[in-house]
Amino acid sequence: MSELSNFKNTQEIIKKHNFSIQKKYGQNFLIDEHVLNKIIAAAELSKDDYVIEIGPGIGTMTERMAPECRHVTAIEIDKELIPILSETLSGFDNVDIINEDVLKVDLNKLIAERNDNKPVKVVANLPYYITTPIIMSLLENKIPIDTITVMVQKEVADRMMVGPGTKDYGALSLAVQYYAKPYIVANVPMNCFIPRPNVASAVIRLTCHKEPPVTVKDEKLMFNLIRASFNQRRKTLINGISNFSGLSYTKEQVAMALNSIGLSENIRGEALDLEKFAKLSDALLET
Ligand code: SAM
């Protein structure tokens, strides 16, 4: 059983170290054993697994994962938490802490050096102010990852799951679904954390694809098209793409590409699924 995942023990550790919670780092510590159990179960850890934890806080999830896997590397930005982690995790010889901004850590290099380039599992209660950049960087940098099991804002979890025709559908939905299969494990109310966040949360597991579900000749072009379409959501695709600074296609070229794959010239990006974006991207290469 976890020692830290309740209000009393978390408060005690914080007081003992005279730690002041940093809002700017998105610090909302988990104090619910039941939710913690759900995250750990969803991560399906085995003794072979190398786990990367982003933002261990005071070590609540780390101390639960360490006995269940081969190694945990926990990356924590706040240097004031390092002495606390040294204390709470002192009983484990398979945990190391990197005091750094996760977005500045070369995870490809770390995994090559420490896990022979074999896929790792990422488990975290993510800081909400940078959830999307963290997830996008894990996916886009082609880091060898089996699964990403993370607590995020409920609204962000919903955005990862949805398809065309819903208001939450966007660049994040398409990127996540290109690289992984999302599954919402649990919804988590605000009172499971201290301090309480002002939004509801959810645990989501992304199982990374071995091969993407669609084939596309130029991945970078496809993601630029996706960005262009959702940058100006209310505009037609033709206007969105021809106005986008990162692309140099004319309205005529976009119209031609749309025609060649049987789509209307008035269509908006929000109506296209991943397969259609891939087709459009390949068609534009031919114009
Ligand atoms: N895992 C702990 C828990 O569940 O109680 C803490 C979760 S708290 C929501 C997010 C954690 O991420 C904090 O410890 C925060 O300091 C850390 N953090 C914030 N930004 C970070 C970044 N860019 N890189 C690494 N850690 C970060």
Side-chain angles (χ1 to χ4, degrees), residues 127-146:
Y128 293 174
Y129 75 107
I130 43 164
T131 300
T132 302
I134 291 175
I135 294 205
M136 292 302 288
S137 122
L138 292 174
L139 297 173
E140 285 185 331
N141 291 324
K142 312 247 154 121
I143 297 164
I145 298 176
D146 259 340

PDB file of all heavy atoms in Angstrom, residues 127-146:
ATOM      1  N   PRO A 127       1.579  17.959 -15.444  1.00  0.00           N
ATOM      2  CA  PRO A 127       1.260  19.363 -15.141  1.00  0.00           C
ATOM      3  C   PRO A 127       0.371  19.900 -16.257  1.00  0.00           C
ATOM      4  O   PRO A 127       0.722  19.797 -17.438  1.00  0.00           O
ATOM      5  CB  PRO A 127       2.640  20.037 -15.147  1.00  0.00           C
ATOM      6  CG  PRO A 127       3.558  19.130 -15.908  1.00  0.00           C
ATOM      7  CD  PRO A 127       2.994  17.744 -15.807  1.00  0.00           C
ATOM      8  N   TYR A 128      -0.784  20.477 -15.897  1.00  0.00           N
ATOM      9  CA  TYR A 128      -1.782  20.809 -16.923  1.00  0.00           C
ATOM     10  C   TYR A 128      -1.377  21.954 -17.837  1.00  0.00           C
ATOM     11  O   TYR A 128      -1.844  22.044 -18.949  1.00  0.00           O
ATOM     12  CB  TYR A 128      -3.147  21.079 -16.267  1.00  0.00           C
ATOM     13  CG  TYR A 128      -3.746  19.834 -15.629  1.00  0.00           C
ATOM     14  CD1 TYR A 128      -4.902  19.892 -14.875  1.00  0.00           C
ATOM     15  CD2 TYR A 128      -3.137  18.594 -15.796  1.00  0.00           C
ATOM     16  CE1 TYR A 128      -5.442  18.735 -14.296  1.00  0.00           C
ATOM     17  CE2 TYR A 128      -3.662  17.443 -15.221  1.00  0.00           C
ATOM     18  CZ  TYR A 128      -4.808  17.518 -14.470  1.00  0.00           C
ATOM     19  OH  TYR A 128      -5.338  16.390 -13.903  1.00  0.00           O
ATOM     20  N   TYR A 129      -0.464  22.817 -17.350  1.00  0.00           N
ATOM     21  CA  TYR A 129      -0.121  23.974 -18.197  1.00  0.00           C
ATOM     22  C   TYR A 129       0.683  23.593 -19.437  1.00  0.00           C
ATOM     23  O   TYR A 129       0.780  24.385 -20.367  1.00  0.00           O
ATOM     24  CB  TYR A 129       0.614  25.045 -17.369  1.00  0.00           C
ATOM     25  CG  TYR A 129       2.066  24.697 -17.044  1.00  0.00           C
ATOM     26  CD1 TYR A 129       3.118  25.354 -17.675  1.00  0.00           C
ATOM     27  CD2 TYR A 129       2.376  23.712 -16.104  1.00  0.00           C
ATOM     28  CE1 TYR A 129       4.438  25.041 -17.380  1.00  0.00           C
ATOM     29  CE2 TYR A 129       3.684  23.401 -15.804  1.00  0.00           C
ATOM     30  CZ  TYR A 129       4.710  24.060 -16.446  1.00  0.00           C
ATOM     31  OH  TYR A 129       6.014  23.741 -16.170  1.00  0.00           O
ATOM     32  N   ILE A 130       1.270  22.389 -19.446  1.00  0.00           N
ATOM     33  CA  ILE A 130       2.012  21.977 -20.652  1.00  0.00           C
ATOM     34  C   ILE A 130       1.665  20.555 -21.098  1.00  0.00           C
ATOM     35  O   ILE A 130       2.494  19.871 -21.721  1.00  0.00           O
ATOM     36  CB  ILE A 130       3.551  22.082 -20.503  1.00  0.00           C
ATOM     37  CG1 ILE A 130       4.013  21.545 -19.146  1.00  0.00           C
ATOM     38  CG2 ILE A 130       4.056  23.466 -20.785  1.00  0.00           C
ATOM     39  CD1 ILE A 130       5.514  21.266 -19.131  1.00  0.00           C
ATOM     40  N   THR A 131       0.451  20.117 -20.815  1.00  0.00           N
ATOM     41  CA  THR A 131       0.056  18.755 -21.208  1.00  0.00           C
ATOM     42  C   THR A 131       0.226  18.515 -22.710  1.00  0.00           C
ATOM     43  O   THR A 131       0.845  17.536 -23.126  1.00  0.00           O
ATOM     44  CB  THR A 131      -1.432  18.511 -20.854  1.00  0.00           C
ATOM     45  OG1 THR A 131      -1.579  18.665 -19.459  1.00  0.00           O
ATOM     46  CG2 THR A 131      -1.872  17.123 -21.243  1.00  0.00           C
ATOM     47  N   THR A 132      -0.339  19.406 -23.523  1.00  0.00           N
ATOM     48  CA  THR A 132      -0.307  19.167 -24.972  1.00  0.00           C
ATOM     49  C   THR A 132       1.125  19.183 -25.514  1.00  0.00           C
ATOM     50  O   THR A 132       1.500  18.250 -26.234  1.00  0.00           O
ATOM     51  CB  THR A 132      -1.240  20.152 -25.708  1.00  0.00           C
ATOM     52  OG1 THR A 132      -2.547  19.958 -25.164  1.00  0.00           O
ATOM     53  CG2 THR A 132      -1.288  19.893 -27.195  1.00  0.00           C
ATOM     54  N   PRO A 133       1.963  20.190 -25.184  1.00  0.00           N
ATOM     55  CA  PRO A 133       3.349  20.125 -25.675  1.00  0.00           C
ATOM     56  C   PRO A 133       4.075  18.845 -25.245  1.00  0.00           C
ATOM     57  O   PRO A 133       4.842  18.275 -26.031  1.00  0.00           O
ATOM     58  CB  PRO A 133       4.025  21.351 -25.050  1.00  0.00           C
ATOM     59  CG  PRO A 133       2.914  22.268 -24.710  1.00  0.00           C
ATOM     60  CD  PRO A 133       1.680  21.459 -24.496  1.00  0.00           C
ATOM     61  N   ILE A 134       3.825  18.371 -24.021  1.00  0.00           N
ATOM     62  CA  ILE A 134       4.518  17.151 -23.577  1.00  0.00           C
ATOM     63  C   ILE A 134       4.059  15.960 -24.418  1.00  0.00           C
ATOM     64  O   ILE A 134       4.870  15.200 -24.955  1.00  0.00           O
ATOM     65  CB  ILE A 134       4.287  16.867 -22.070  1.00  0.00           C
ATOM     66  CG1 ILE A 134       4.996  17.922 -21.207  1.00  0.00           C
ATOM     67  CG2 ILE A 134       4.784  15.469 -21.693  1.00  0.00           C
ATOM     68  CD1 ILE A 134       4.745  17.803 -19.709  1.00  0.00           C
ATOM     69  N   ILE A 135       2.752  15.806 -24.574  1.00  0.00           N
ATOM     70  CA  ILE A 135       2.241  14.655 -25.333  1.00  0.00           C
ATOM     71  C   ILE A 135       2.696  14.728 -26.792  1.00  0.00           C
ATOM     72  O   ILE A 135       3.149  13.734 -27.367  1.00  0.00           O
ATOM     73  CB  ILE A 135       0.702  14.578 -25.206  1.00  0.00           C
ATOM     74  CG1 ILE A 135       0.411  14.281 -23.746  1.00  0.00           C
ATOM     75  CG2 ILE A 135       0.113  13.539 -26.164  1.00  0.00           C
ATOM     76  CD1 ILE A 135      -0.840  13.631 -23.408  1.00  0.00           C
ATOM     77  N   MET A 136       2.616  15.926 -27.389  1.00  0.00           N
ATOM     78  CA  MET A 136       3.038  16.061 -28.783  1.00  0.00           C
ATOM     79  C   MET A 136       4.521  15.750 -28.934  1.00  0.00           C
ATOM     80  O   MET A 136       4.929  15.120 -29.902  1.00  0.00           O
ATOM     81  CB  MET A 136       2.755  17.484 -29.301  1.00  0.00           C
ATOM     82  CG  MET A 136       1.287  17.797 -29.434  1.00  0.00           C
ATOM     83  SD  MET A 136       0.413  16.670 -30.520  1.00  0.00           S
ATOM     84  CE  MET A 136       1.046  17.177 -32.080  1.00  0.00           C
ATOM     85  N   SER A 137       5.326  16.195 -27.982  1.00  0.00           N
ATOM     86  CA  SER A 137       6.763  15.939 -28.121  1.00  0.00           C
ATOM     87  C   SER A 137       7.070  14.447 -27.939  1.00  0.00           C
ATOM     88  O   SER A 137       7.906  13.892 -28.640  1.00  0.00           O
ATOM     89  CB  SER A 137       7.547  16.862 -27.191  1.00  0.00           C
ATOM     90  OG  SER A 137       8.329  16.161 -26.304  1.00  0.00           O
ATOM     91  N   LEU A 138       6.350  13.767 -27.039  1.00  0.00           N
ATOM     92  CA  LEU A 138       6.552  12.317 -26.891  1.00  0.00           C
ATOM     93  C   LEU A 138       6.200  11.591 -28.195  1.00  0.00           C
ATOM     94  O   LEU A 138       6.894  10.676 -28.623  1.00  0.00           O
ATOM     95  CB  LEU A 138       5.674  11.755 -25.763  1.00  0.00           C
ATOM     96  CG  LEU A 138       6.010  12.186 -24.339  1.00  0.00           C
ATOM     97  CD1 LEU A 138       4.956  11.659 -23.360  1.00  0.00           C
ATOM     98  CD2 LEU A 138       7.403  11.695 -23.923  1.00  0.00           C
ATOM     99  N   LEU A 139       5.121  12.039 -28.841  1.00  0.00           N
ATOM    100  CA  LEU A 139       4.660  11.338 -30.045  1.00  0.00           C
ATOM    101  C   LEU A 139       5.478  11.717 -31.282  1.00  0.00           C
ATOM    102  O   LEU A 139       5.926  10.859 -32.029  1.00  0.00           O
ATOM    103  CB  LEU A 139       3.175  11.638 -30.282  1.00  0.00           C
ATOM    104  CG  LEU A 139       2.198  11.157 -29.202  1.00  0.00           C
ATOM    105  CD1 LEU A 139       0.801  11.676 -29.477  1.00  0.00           C
ATOM    106  CD2 LEU A 139       2.178   9.630 -29.112  1.00  0.00           C
ATOM    107  N   GLU A 140       5.684  13.014 -31.465  1.00  0.00           N
ATOM    108  CA  GLU A 140       6.318  13.463 -32.722  1.00  0.00           C
ATOM    109  C   GLU A 140       7.805  13.154 -32.803  1.00  0.00           C
ATOM    110  O   GLU A 140       8.343  13.042 -33.894  1.00  0.00           O
ATOM    111  CB  GLU A 140       6.119  14.978 -32.889  1.00  0.00           C
ATOM    112  CG  GLU A 140       4.710  15.313 -33.304  1.00  0.00           C
ATOM    113  CD  GLU A 140       4.515  16.789 -33.605  1.00  0.00           C
ATOM    114  OE1 GLU A 140       5.224  17.633 -33.015  1.00  0.00           O
ATOM    115  OE2 GLU A 140       3.639  17.094 -34.403  1.00  0.00           O
ATOM    116  N   ASN A 141       8.460  13.056 -31.659  1.00  0.00           N
ATOM    117  CA  ASN A 141       9.898  12.799 -31.697  1.00  0.00           C
ATOM    118  C   ASN A 141      10.233  11.324 -31.846  1.00  0.00           C
ATOM    119  O   ASN A 141      11.377  10.919 -31.707  1.00  0.00           O
ATOM    120  CB  ASN A 141      10.586  13.382 -30.458  1.00  0.00           C
ATOM    121  CG  ASN A 141      10.564  14.893 -30.501  1.00  0.00           C
ATOM    122  OD1 ASN A 141      10.691  15.481 -31.573  1.00  0.00           O
ATOM    123  ND2 ASN A 141      10.380  15.533 -29.362  1.00  0.00           N
ATOM    124  N   LYS A 142       9.212  10.529 -32.107  1.00  0.00           N
ATOM    125  CA  LYS A 142       9.407   9.092 -32.382  1.00  0.00           C
ATOM    126  C   LYS A 142      10.229   8.411 -31.290  1.00  0.00           C
ATOM    127  O   LYS A 142      11.165   7.660 -31.561  1.00  0.00           O
ATOM    128  CB  LYS A 142      10.092   8.900 -33.742  1.00  0.00           C
ATOM    129  CG  LYS A 142       9.457   9.697 -34.843  1.00  0.00           C
ATOM    130  CD  LYS A 142       8.814   8.783 -35.858  1.00  0.00           C
ATOM    131  CE  LYS A 142       7.709   9.477 -36.558  1.00  0.00           C
ATOM    132  NZ  LYS A 142       7.653   9.665 -37.888  1.00  0.00           N
ATOM    133  N   ILE A 143       9.888   8.727 -30.072  1.00  0.00           N
ATOM    134  CA  ILE A 143      10.564   8.126 -28.929  1.00  0.00           C
ATOM    135  C   ILE A 143      10.026   6.698 -28.779  1.00  0.00           C
ATOM    136  O   ILE A 143       8.814   6.492 -28.922  1.00  0.00           O
ATOM    137  CB  ILE A 143      10.284   8.975 -27.666  1.00  0.00           C
ATOM    138  CG1 ILE A 143      10.883  10.369 -27.885  1.00  0.00           C
ATOM    139  CG2 ILE A 143      10.832   8.342 -26.398  1.00  0.00           C
ATOM    140  CD1 ILE A 143      10.407  11.418 -26.945  1.00  0.00           C
ATOM    141  N   PRO A 144      10.903   5.706 -28.548  1.00  0.00           N
ATOM    142  CA  PRO A 144      10.372   4.354 -28.399  1.00  0.00           C
ATOM    143  C   PRO A 144       9.529   4.208 -27.126  1.00  0.00           C
ATOM    144  O   PRO A 144      10.059   4.165 -26.019  1.00  0.00           O
ATOM    145  CB  PRO A 144      11.629   3.458 -28.343  1.00  0.00           C
ATOM    146  CG  PRO A 144      12.795   4.360 -28.262  1.00  0.00           C
ATOM    147  CD  PRO A 144      12.366   5.766 -28.465  1.00  0.00           C
ATOM    148  N   ILE A 145       8.223   4.168 -27.315  1.00  0.00           N
ATOM    149  CA  ILE A 145       7.294   4.102 -26.177  1.00  0.00           C
ATOM    150  C   ILE A 145       6.229   3.050 -26.473  1.00  0.00           C
ATOM    151  O   ILE A 145       5.701   2.991 -27.579  1.00  0.00           O
ATOM    152  CB  ILE A 145       6.595   5.468 -25.954  1.00  0.00           C
ATOM    153  CG1 ILE A 145       7.613   6.559 -25.618  1.00  0.00           C
ATOM    154  CG2 ILE A 145       5.555   5.377 -24.834  1.00  0.00           C
ATOM    155  CD1 ILE A 145       7.012   7.955 -25.477  1.00  0.00           C
ATOM    156  N   ASP A 146       5.940   2.230 -25.474  1.00  0.00           N
ATOM    157  CA  ASP A 146       4.847   1.246 -25.567  1.00  0.00           C
ATOM    158  C   ASP A 146       3.513   1.924 -25.296  1.00  0.00           C
ATOM    159  O   ASP A 146       2.605   1.911 -26.105  1.00  0.00           O
ATOM    160  CB  ASP A 146       5.004   0.229 -24.416  1.00  0.00           C
ATOM    161  CG  ASP A 146       5.621  -1.049 -24.869  1.00  0.00           C
ATOM    162  OD1 ASP A 146       5.598  -1.321 -26.071  1.00  0.00           O
ATOM    163  OD2 ASP A 146       6.130  -1.779 -23.989  1.00  0.00           O
TER     164      ASP A 146
END
